Amino acid sequence: MRTRGRMIVAGLTVIGLIGAAVAVTRGDGAERPSTTAAAAEEGLGSATTSGASTAPGATASGGVAPGSQTEQKTEPNATAGPVRVRPAQVIAQAAPESVAYLRDRYRISATEAARRLALQELSAPLAARLTEQVPRSYGGMWLDQEAGGVLTVGATDVAAVRAAVAEVTDPVNVRVVAVRHALGQLAEAAAAIAVTLDASPGSDVVVDPRANEIVVLTGDQITADDPRLAEARRAAGVPTRTQVRTPATNVPKACDPRYCPQAPMRGGIRLDVPRDDGTVGGCTTGFNLTVGVRDAYVLTAGHCVVGGRHQQVDRTWHQFLGPKVPVTVEAPNPDLAENAYPYDYAIMPYQAGALPRWTYPRGARSTPSLVNYWCVADNPRCATSGSRDVRITGYVPWSAIQSGWVVCATGAAYTPKAGEQYVDSGAGAGYVPGTRCGEITGKSSGGIDVRICARPGDSGGPLFTEADGKALGILSNGDPGQGACTNPNERNSYAPISTILERVNARSGGRLRVRLATSGPGAGPVAR
């Protein structure tokens, strides 16, 4: 297998660590939503609380930036008409499992759950507008589910931001709170620290929106005893803290998708991968990708084909123990696979002769790119919702994803029962593969942290929004666990789809033109 080098990417990551209480005067930085058309069109929002508690293993360091923006003048063009979204009932009808999650988790009515989902859909375009119109005042936002589903917006100039959000469709549940540092100021300081430490902004040095400070992640590119660290933090001029990158309890998800051999290729089905030592592991398919003009590829987790047990060219199969359907092969281009979270991806072409089996038939009237919404048999809500496919309509940039969003994930991990012909992924007896919905809890280490159960074998599986079919990321690692899902607070981490696309296109100098496919593989040209 080719050697894959590690690159520094010029970008900024914003993380979200769950806070405890809504504060009017303390504490929030913010995620920096994209102001591109791609970001503006995403119908999503955020959620979580303010509060500046320091995470376990972290050390606090305060600082006040020169020229602090606590006394800015109100910025011009604060309003430009209301930001509107679809009616709450329409969103709720498209997202029954998200409604069910909110009702069960927060003991609220279906009407209240629908209102919160509508506010979630409002938050992304609103964040993009605030970033563009009041960048010196905007301090980020989060949807605070614990405090009653309130969209909280941080501001260094409360009056300017209040004017900009005055005409939102749910003003009663949008709250503007004072923070000390604007997002842009924190972003610039984080980038400066990263340069000083020869690290990557967005992966090694990130912004915590609720604590309104910078987090320097140690244990990988940056060591805790780096002699430059203390001075870099002091020179930042804003509050910073250090935090160990990945808790020791986190384990990578091994893989073993189940049986789903029919076309078209979709996210959320098994990929069995023979290893060099003769054993078989696997992954779950994530999303369909297009490379170049119209070549169809499949995205899954990089650790499934990059590592000590994968020195040969890996081929993947569907149902390896029979009927052993060929699927993908490791790409010869080393830029298409990497295993260093959040850059945990493998972009794989189809094996010779395999693509026709996974494509829509020629002349198909509709060829959407799909994610398999596989109803979990041990979930009582499946009695009313049932299994279905979710059409992928695009993706949400990592910078626009916010804590508190209700999202769904599909995996195919499994431990077979006696007599069943499946490769054992190590999921443990009692785990049922399929789709589960939960909540985004933060964005540590440049990825997406969620409160959704997953097991070894779900790696590479898709994370997406149920209501509008937006791709978010693919499973990389998380809390250890086997068997049935019994821990309601289990957390797992996903590599963002936007981070993956930016990374691979940067590594290839833009030559590969890798992009998310919104049309499934077909016999005809792929929509561009």
Side-chain angles (χ1 to χ4, degrees):
M1 181 176 293
R2 282 80 49 203
T3 300
R4 295 163 173 85
R6 190 168 185 274
M7 286 182 60
I8 300 298
V9 175
L12 181 66
T13 301
V14 184
I15 71 169
L17 304 177
I18 288 289
V22 175
V24 175
T25 58
R26 169 65 180 125
D28 309 279
E31 301 154 15
R32 187 180 185 88
S34 171
T35 56
T36 65
E41 72 180 8
E42 312 301 344
L44 292 155
S46 142
T48 179
T49 38
S50 93
S53 57
T54 301
T59 58
S61 172
V64 178
S68 177
Q69 301 181 9
T70 55
E71 297 183 0
Q72 298 182 62
K73 295 181 179 180
T74 300
E75 297 175 42
N77 300 320
T79 60
V83 177
R84 301 189 184 280
V85 296
R86 296 177 293 168
Q89 62 269 28
V90 173
I91 298 172
Q93 289 172 0
E97 292 303 308
S98 299
V99 170
Y101 168 80
L102 286 170
R103 294 190 67 182
D104 290 351
R105 181 79 189 182
Y106 297 104
R107 298 294 187 265
I108 59 178
S109 68
T111 300
E112 170 63 11
R115 182 198 67 77
R116 294 189 186 195
L117 289 175
L119 199 58
Q120 171 173 317
E121 189 163 292
L122 166 73
S123 64
L126 179 61
R129 187 171 94 170
L130 294 175
T131 300
E132 180 180 0
Q133 293 187 353
V134 285
R136 298 191 306 274
S137 301
Y138 175 53
M141 67 175 64
W142 56 97
L143 181 54
D144 193 339
Q145 302 285 12
E146 297 287 349
V150 175
L151 184 62
T152 307
V153 184
T156 59
D157 184 333
V158 172
V161 174
R162 278 181 179 160
V165 303
E167 297 185 53
V168 297
T169 55
D170 189 7
V172 174
N173 293 293
V174 178
R175 178 181 305 164
V176 180
V177 300
V179 297
R180 191 164 190 181
H181 302 285
L183 174 63
Q185 182 186 7
L186 293 172
E188 291 175 2
I193 292 176
V195 169
T196 300
L197 300 177
D198 298 320
S200 174
S203 178
D204 303 311
V205 185
V206 297
V207 174
D208 182 343
R210 283 161 300 284
N212 199 223
E213 64 187 16
I214 294 169
V215 182
V216 181
L217 297 163
T218 62
D220 182 18
Q221 184 70 13
I222 303 171
T223 61
D225 59 354
D226 190 319
R228 302 169 296 174
L229 182 56
E231 174 59 23
R233 293 175 62 194
R234 186 201 64 76
V238 296
T240 70
R241 72 174 190 265
T242 62
Q243 181 174 306
V244 177
R245 172 179 290 277
T246 304
T249 56
N250 278 17
V251 296
K253 299 294 184 185
C255 313
D256 179 30
R258 292 185 73 182
Y259 187 71
C260 184
Q262 65 269 22
M265 172 56 67
R266 68 201 74 197
I269 68 170
R270 66 180 294 130
L271 288 177
D272 290 328
V273 186
R275 305 186 182 102
D276 298 349
D277 59 7
T279 62
V280 181
C283 272
T284 300
T285 57
F287 299 100
N288 290 307
L289 299 181
T290 302
V291 178
V293 177
R294 62 183 184 92
D295 291 338
Y297 280 62
V298 177
L299 174 65
T300 190
H303 67 256
C304 300
V305 298
V306 179
R309 303 170 80 180
H310 298 280
Q311 299 301 305
Q312 310 301 321
V313 175
D314 287 311
R315 297 180 183 274
T316 72
W317 309 83
H318 190 68
Q319 195 70 9
F320 183 79
L321 299 180
K324 196 177 181 180
V325 178
V327 189
T328 62
V329 61
E330 190 177 2
N333 190 324
D335 293 332
L336 291 177
E338 197 170 2
N339 179 12
Y341 185 77
Y343 311 120
D344 186 3
Y345 62 89
I347 299 171
M348 305 181 74
Y350 289 85
Q351 291 187 41
L355 181 58
R357 184 184 186 107
W358 297 102
T359 62
Y360 282 101
R362 184 176 295 277
R365 297 181 62 182
S366 178
T367 59
S369 181
L370 303 174
V371 162
N372 185 21
Y373 192 109
W374 195 350
C375 192
V376 183
D378 60 0
N379 182 345
R381 293 194 293 268
C382 283
T384 57
S385 60
S387 298
R388 61 195 184 277
D389 288 319
V390 174
R391 180 172 186 163
I392 294 301
T393 61
Y395 68 89
V396 181
W398 181 89
S399 58
I401 296 170
Q402 299 169 17
S403 295
W405 286 6
V406 179
V407 295
C408 301
T410 299
Y414 194 58
T415 289
K417 300 175 183 177
E420 290 184 328
Q421 294 297 306
Y422 295 104
V423 174
D424 186 354
S425 73
Y431 179 73
V432 181
T435 303
R436 293 172 170 85
C437 298
E439 187 175 331
I440 295 178
T441 60
K443 299 200 293 184
S444 63
S445 300
I448 307 167
D449 301 327
V450 301
R451 189 187 289 121
I452 299 177
C453 177
R455 294 288 179 264
D458 291 334
S459 281
L463 183 72
F464 58 95
T465 57
E466 182 185 15
D468 55 359
K470 300 298 184 184
L472 301 179
I474 59 173
L475 180 64
S476 177
N477 63 71
D479 289 344
Q482 287 189 315
C485 296
T486 58
N487 177 9
N489 293 312
E490 179 181 332
R491 304 199 180 192
N492 291 290
S493 300
Y494 286 73
I497 183 69
S498 63
T499 298
I500 292 169
L501 295 176
E502 291 168 2
R503 174 75 161 187
V504 71
N505 284 313
R507 293 182 79 197
S508 67
R511 295 185 304 276
L512 295 177
R513 295 182 59 228
V514 181
R515 53 206 184 276
L516 181 72
T518 54
S519 292
V526 174
R528 298 175 61 186

mmCIF file of all heavy atoms in Angstrom, residues 18 26 55 98 133 158 247 269 298 414:
data_model
loop_
_atom_site.group_PDB
_atom_site.id
_atom_site.type_symbol
_atom_site.label_atom_id
_atom_site.label_comp_id
_atom_site.label_asym_id
_atom_site.label_seq_id
_atom_site.Cartn_x
_atom_site.Cartn_y
_atom_site.Cartn_z
ATOM 1 N N ILE A 18 -20.712 20.658 25.122
ATOM 2 C CA ILE A 18 -21.977 20.941 25.782
ATOM 3 C C ILE A 18 -21.753 21.767 27.039
ATOM 4 O O ILE A 18 -20.950 21.437 27.896
ATOM 5 C CB ILE A 18 -22.681 19.634 26.149
ATOM 6 C CG1 ILE A 18 -23.207 18.991 24.868
ATOM 7 C CG2 ILE A 18 -23.807 19.853 27.131
ATOM 8 C CD1 ILE A 18 -24.376 19.717 24.270
ATOM 9 N N ARG A 26 -21.992 35.835 29.873
ATOM 10 C CA ARG A 26 -20.722 35.093 29.816
ATOM 11 C C ARG A 26 -20.756 34.133 28.665
ATOM 12 O O ARG A 26 -21.742 33.528 28.351
ATOM 13 C CB ARG A 26 -20.511 34.324 31.135
ATOM 14 C CG ARG A 26 -19.370 33.294 31.110
ATOM 15 C CD ARG A 26 -18.022 33.912 30.935
ATOM 16 N NE ARG A 26 -16.988 32.910 30.915
ATOM 17 C CZ ARG A 26 -16.123 32.789 29.939
ATOM 18 N NH1 ARG A 26 -16.156 33.595 28.913
ATOM 19 N NH2 ARG A 26 -15.196 31.867 30.003
ATOM 20 N N ALA A 55 -13.454 21.316 30.031
ATOM 21 C CA ALA A 55 -13.613 19.879 29.862
ATOM 22 C C ALA A 55 -12.596 19.130 30.695
ATOM 23 O O ALA A 55 -11.532 19.641 31.021
ATOM 24 C CB ALA A 55 -13.453 19.513 28.394
ATOM 25 N N SER A 98 -36.863 12.224 13.915
ATOM 26 C CA SER A 98 -36.311 13.375 14.631
ATOM 27 C C SER A 98 -37.324 13.925 15.618
ATOM 28 O O SER A 98 -36.968 14.301 16.743
ATOM 29 C CB SER A 98 -35.906 14.462 13.621
ATOM 30 O OG SER A 98 -34.907 13.993 12.741
ATOM 31 N N GLN A 133 -23.258 40.118 7.426
ATOM 32 C CA GLN A 133 -23.726 41.476 7.686
ATOM 33 C C GLN A 133 -23.128 42.111 8.936
ATOM 34 O O GLN A 133 -22.924 43.328 8.965
ATOM 35 C CB GLN A 133 -25.255 41.470 7.799
ATOM 36 C CG GLN A 133 -25.946 41.140 6.488
ATOM 37 C CD GLN A 133 -27.453 41.303 6.571
ATOM 38 O OE1 GLN A 133 -27.990 41.544 7.646
ATOM 39 N NE2 GLN A 133 -28.121 41.182 5.453
ATOM 40 N N VAL A 158 -24.699 43.693 21.184
ATOM 41 C CA VAL A 158 -26.023 43.076 21.259
ATOM 42 C C VAL A 158 -27.026 43.809 20.384
ATOM 43 O O VAL A 158 -27.853 43.196 19.706
ATOM 44 C CB VAL A 158 -26.499 43.026 22.723
ATOM 45 C CG1 VAL A 158 -27.957 42.579 22.809
ATOM 46 C CG2 VAL A 158 -25.602 42.084 23.528
ATOM 47 N N PRO A 247 -9.966 10.980 24.007
ATOM 48 C CA PRO A 247 -9.956 10.220 25.259
ATOM 49 C C PRO A 247 -9.482 8.793 25.026
ATOM 50 O O PRO A 247 -9.737 8.193 23.981
ATOM 51 C CB PRO A 247 -11.423 10.244 25.692
ATOM 52 C CG PRO A 247 -12.014 11.430 25.003
ATOM 53 C CD PRO A 247 -11.269 11.542 23.698
ATOM 54 N N ILE A 269 -24.780 0.283 3.660
ATOM 55 C CA ILE A 269 -24.775 -1.167 3.447
ATOM 56 C C ILE A 269 -23.364 -1.712 3.659
ATOM 57 O O ILE A 269 -22.386 -0.976 3.658
ATOM 58 C CB ILE A 269 -25.308 -1.562 2.059
ATOM 59 C CG1 ILE A 269 -24.356 -1.117 0.950
ATOM 60 C CG2 ILE A 269 -26.696 -0.998 1.823
ATOM 61 C CD1 ILE A 269 -24.721 -1.684 -0.421
ATOM 62 N N VAL A 298 -17.303 5.270 -4.284
ATOM 63 C CA VAL A 298 -17.999 5.055 -3.028
ATOM 64 C C VAL A 298 -17.107 5.544 -1.888
ATOM 65 O O VAL A 298 -15.907 5.252 -1.857
ATOM 66 C CB VAL A 298 -18.346 3.565 -2.829
ATOM 67 C CG1 VAL A 298 -19.010 3.347 -1.467
ATOM 68 C CG2 VAL A 298 -19.263 3.079 -3.950
ATOM 69 N N TYR A 414 -22.722 -6.137 12.845
ATOM 70 C CA TYR A 414 -23.507 -7.318 13.200
ATOM 71 C C TYR A 414 -22.612 -8.418 13.732
ATOM 72 O O TYR A 414 -21.474 -8.589 13.287
ATOM 73 C CB TYR A 414 -24.262 -7.832 11.973
ATOM 74 C CG TYR A 414 -25.344 -8.840 12.279
ATOM 75 C CD1 TYR A 414 -26.386 -8.538 13.136
ATOM 76 C CD2 TYR A 414 -25.311 -10.106 11.699
ATOM 77 C CE1 TYR A 414 -27.389 -9.462 13.406
ATOM 78 C CE2 TYR A 414 -26.305 -11.036 11.960
ATOM 79 C CZ TYR A 414 -27.346 -10.702 12.819
ATOM 80 O OH TYR A 414 -28.337 -11.618 13.088
#
